[in-house]
Amino acid sequence: MRWLMSLGERTRPDAPTYAEDPAPDQARALALVDDFAHLFTVLKQWRQQYGEELTAFAVQVQADDIENLPAELIEQWEWEGDVVRMDTERGGYVKVSDYREVPVRPGISARTAAGLPVWTTAP
């Protein structure tokens, strides 16, 4: 198993922590690494490229090549692609939110009405 991470899209200036999780075939940036710790190195590089504060989503996958990801992985991304959220913050910090074993709770939405995968908390 490897870790696949996609760069999230912060599309709502009125909600700075809101981030959409695009499917791998639509993401601006993807990374496929052997170890979770390597994701932090990728985040550091993405910060230099895309800005200080960003959001990424990661999931464990069975894939050997980022250029030829399995079609079923892309199709199922909406339901399985956002299990670990990583938010970079000022000062070089990274906030990791691991949702792998969290049951669905009221007040947390993993999908928008349009089916886009996001993590936002209700006020």
Side-chain angles (χ1 to χ4, degrees):
M1 295 291 279
R2 300 175 85 187
W3 284 93
L4 178 66
M5 182 170 65
S6 68
L7 179 62
E9 297 295 335
R10 292 187 177 186
T11 58
R12 292 187 41 197
D14 61 318
T17 60
Y18 172 92
E20 296 178 26
D21 180 16
D25 60 339
Q26 299 173 354
R28 281 190 298 156
L30 286 176
L32 184 65
V33 298
D34 294 326
D35 187 81
F36 186 83
H38 297 155
L39 294 176
F40 293 97
T41 302
V42 174
L43 280 176
K44 183 177 179 181
Q45 293 171 353
W46 285 1
R47 286 177 102 158
Q48 294 171 357
Q49 180 76 29
Y50 299 107
E52 180 74 13
E53 296 181 40
L54 55 88
T55 298
F57 297 92
V59 65
Q60 281 188 298
V61 298
Q62 289 189 349
D64 295 323
D65 181 9
I66 200 163
E67 298 291 328
N68 298 306
L69 294 172
E72 58 272 3
L73 171 66
I74 294 170
E75 292 168 8
Q76 295 174 358
W77 188 263
E78 180 178 347
W79 308 109
E80 299 176 9
D82 55 0
V83 295
V84 177
R85 176 178 169 151
M86 303 173 80
D87 291 286
T88 61
E89 299 175 348
R90 292 178 194 236
Y93 298 100
V94 177
K95 178 182 175 185
V96 177
S97 303
D98 187 346
Y99 298 105
R100 286 179 287 183
E101 296 183 18
V102 175
V104 175
R105 295 177 286 157
I108 293 183
S109 170
R111 310 278 174 233
T112 64
L116 298 173
V118 298
W119 286 101
T120 57
T121 56

